[in-house]
Amino acid sequence: MTTIYLKPHKEESVKRFHPWVFSGAIARVVLDADHQAAAPEEGELVCVRSATNEVLGVGHWQVGSIAVRILAFGEETLPKDFWKERIRAAYRVREAIGLVRNLNDTYRLVHGEGDWLPGLIVDVYADTAVVQAHSVGMHMHRMEIAKAIIAEVPQVKNVYYKSDDTLPFKAPIEGDKIGYLRHNDTSLRHDNEEFWSTENGLSFRIDWLRGQKTGFFVDQRENRALVERYAKDKDVLNMFCYTGGFSLYALRGGAKTVDSVDISQKAIDLVNINVAKNFPNATNHTAIAADAFEYLSKQKEAGKTYDLIILDPPAFAKHRDAVKNALRGYQRINAKAIEMIRKGGLLFTFSCSQAVDKEAFRLAVFSAAAQVGRKVRILHQLHQPQDHPINIYHPEGEYLKGLVLYVE
Ligand code: SAH
């Protein structure tokens, strides 16, 4: 196996279990005798050693500033049954926190670094796991990962692989980036027309074939439940609704009316399907395909107001250099929403941009309130749920933040 020697004292962060080795920390690369290429190949397993030859761990080699993502600390090679053990450990956490139960078969099984599996995301929907590789190394191990999931997660019978958008696009990649790795259920519902998954007792049609990400936003489960608690008798706007997660909880919570808005017509079709499935007699829900900024401006002109607004936009900043613009975007959209909230109403506002930290987001939201001259107070500070654990040695894994504001 190829060995990566670090510069003196550069082993500190790996010894503190930070899973990334940056290229600047590397002193030299020693290929093993029968190595085919003149340099390590993207995705191959390498052993990382300190300048004094101490074994630090084994991980996936990558081209770029993160050169190695460590899989097993203190090991020279991947231990036998590594994949099974890691998947089993991840599943045990989800069981321990009560996510695997009758009325809930939707959860994140593997959250990358948060489950000591850097570069891997796995979401479970009923009997199907959807796997996303964010590194070539994980792509190369996809068959073993699928096998381990089937062996370790009792409910899962099928594994779908969806990495066409997540793998580094310049990397030389062999094999399909999309398709079933395991498909034990040949029934028609796997064309996704009739595939349902349950979150806190609500049914959602999940379309991993055509949907965004793995097909559903698993990370808002707890925050949706909070909307349910506050929705009674309220006029609710769910902006950036996607498949209508927040809308269904608001309806179950007894909202007077719920408007769901998303720019994508496909998303709006799914919201309507989900509402019809859970509340077949509902007459108080409206789904609208529209741009958020335009919708809010038009409704304001028409004098429309709401008691509770949810703003869950896509990541405005995908990279650090886009943060300034993103903050302007958050301020703009929040100002528009706050303006439309009745006295004593609530705003649930979120950012899922990893590059925008809590404080910056909070400042953008407060600037928005000041801009439109409304007094606001923070009732809740929200974050990603417990099946998206943050590795304490890898704080970069924290991405979702939200505020619930009381608007006077
Ligand atoms: N709240 C959702 C997830 C939101 S994801 C949930 O709980 O599942 C962000 C959504 O914003 C996507 O569905 C995307 O189609 C939508 N979107 C992106 N740009 C938009 C815009 N300018 N106006 C309205 N919706 C937009």
Side-chain angles (χ1 to χ4, degrees):
M1 187 185 294
T2 297
T3 306
I4 309 296
Y5 287 94
L6 301 188
K7 293 175 182 165
H9 311 300
K10 289 291 183 188
E11 71 281 6
E12 296 296 323
S13 77
V14 183
K15 282 192 150 177
R16 284 196 308 264
F17 304 114
H18 194 294
W20 298 350
V21 174
F22 289 96
S23 55
I26 295 175
R28 63 202 162 92
V29 174
V30 179
L31 300 171
D32 68 5
D34 51 2
H35 200 279
Q36 302 282 327
E41 283 176 75
E42 184 143 26
E44 86 175 54
L45 284 174
V46 296
C47 174
V48 180
R49 288 175 180 263
S50 71
T52 56
N53 209 24
E54 188 183 353
V55 173
L56 299 172
V58 58
H60 284 140
W61 176 260
Q62 278 189 200
V63 175
S65 78
I66 305 169
V68 184
R69 289 177 170 199
I70 304 277
L71 295 167
F73 291 95
E75 304 281 355
E76 217 168 325
T77 55
L78 265 200
K80 191 174 165 285
D81 288 336
F82 170 82
W83 298 104
K84 274 192 177 175
E85 274 169 22
R86 280 291 151 88
I87 297 287
R88 187 182 311 148
Y91 181 66
R92 280 212 186 117
V93 174
R94 277 65 186 174
E95 259 190 327
I97 58 185
L99 282 178
V100 188
R101 56 174 195 269
N102 247 351
L103 291 177
N104 196 80
D105 56 20
T106 306
Y107 56 89
R108 177 153 291 190
L109 173 67
V110 175
H111 186 59
E113 282 79 356
D115 285 291
W116 302 112
L117 286 167
L120 183 68
I121 296 292
V122 183
D123 287 336
V124 170
Y125 303 117
D127 65 0
T128 300
V130 182
V131 173
Q132 275 190 333
H134 290 253
S135 70
V136 180
M138 285 299 178
H139 174 75
M140 287 163 68
H141 280 113
R142 65 196 180 286
M143 293 302 177
E144 280 141 292
I145 293 166
K147 206 169 146 195
I149 294 171
I150 295 282
E152 298 300 330
V153 186
Q155 82 190 78
V156 172
K157 306 279 178 278
N158 310 291
V159 179
Y160 188 75
Y161 186 58
K162 189 179 182 190
S163 300
D164 47 340
D165 282 339
T166 56
L167 285 165
F169 67 97
K170 283 191 196 142
I173 288 165
E174 281 177 30
D176 291 342
K177 297 184 200 170
I178 194 151
Y180 282 98
L181 299 176
R182 288 298 184 104
H183 196 177
N184 296 322
D185 178 351
T186 50
S187 72
L188 266 181
R189 64 202 190 93
H190 276 279
D191 65 2
N192 278 30
E193 286 307 310
E194 272 308 324
F195 188 88
W196 297 94
S197 189
T198 310
E199 184 187 85
N200 284 332
L202 290 164
S203 297
F204 288 92
R205 176 173 290 176
I206 312 286
D207 188 349
W208 56 81
L209 299 179
R210 290 163 290 250
Q212 301 175 35
K213 308 265 168 126
T214 62
F216 187 64
F217 287 84
V218 190
D219 57 1
Q220 289 287 23
R221 180 185 54 248
E222 310 302 322
N223 302 328
R224 290 173 185 144
L226 190 63
V227 163
E228 178 173 5
R229 260 170 63 192
Y230 291 145
K232 189 143 185 54
D233 298 329
K234 296 201 167 125
D235 289 319
V236 175
L237 169 63
N238 179 11
M239 180 53 80
F240 306 101
C241 64
Y242 189 39
T243 58
F246 286 102
S247 307
L248 293 197
Y249 283 75
L251 287 167
R252 191 167 66 179
K256 199 195 305 166
T257 65
V258 177
D259 292 343
S260 304
V261 179
D262 199 285
I263 200 162
S264 147
Q265 182 60 48
K266 270 197 303 196
I268 293 302
D269 294 343
L270 274 170
V271 180
N272 284 325
I273 289 168
N274 287 332
V275 171
K277 170 88 171 178
N278 292 275
F279 307 98
N281 303 317
T283 52
N284 57 344
H285 177 258
T286 314
I288 306 132
D291 169 74
F293 292 92
E294 281 174 24
Y295 179 84
L296 290 173
S297 299
K298 267 203 199 130
Q299 294 300 308
K300 176 152 188 279
E301 269 170 38
K304 174 93 183 157
T305 54
Y306 289 98
D307 300 304
L308 193 164
I309 297 182
I310 300 131
L311 284 184
D312 183 23
F316 282 173
K318 296 241 159 70
H319 301 286
R320 296 232 156 262
D321 44 8
V323 167
K324 231 175 154 181
N325 276 340
L327 289 172
R328 262 187 237 124
Y330 286 122
Q331 182 174 336
R332 235 180 101 215
I333 193 78
N334 279 278
K336 280 185 171 299
I338 292 171
E339 270 189 311
M340 291 192 59
I341 292 186
R342 291 178 197 144
K343 226 169 147 8
L346 297 177
L347 175 66
F348 280 66
T349 182
F350 297 94
S351 162
C352 59
S353 308
Q354 192 271 330
V356 172
D357 65 30
K358 261 198 292 251
E359 285 69 32
F361 177 61
R362 184 163 152 169
L363 193 63
V365 173
F366 275 28
S367 306
Q371 182 191 326
V372 296
R374 298 288 292 272
K375 265 199 202 143
V376 301
R377 278 179 272 171
I378 298 176
L379 302 186
H380 294 268
Q381 304 193 52
L382 306 177
H383 37 79
Q384 64 212 60
Q386 64 276 41
D387 51 344
H388 294 58
I390 301 159
N391 182 331
I392 207 155
Y393 308 107
H394 178 261
E396 296 91 336
E398 185 171 359
Y399 71 100
L400 183 65
K401 55 240 149 239
L403 295 168
V404 182
L405 301 179
Y406 182 83
V407 184
E408 290 176 50

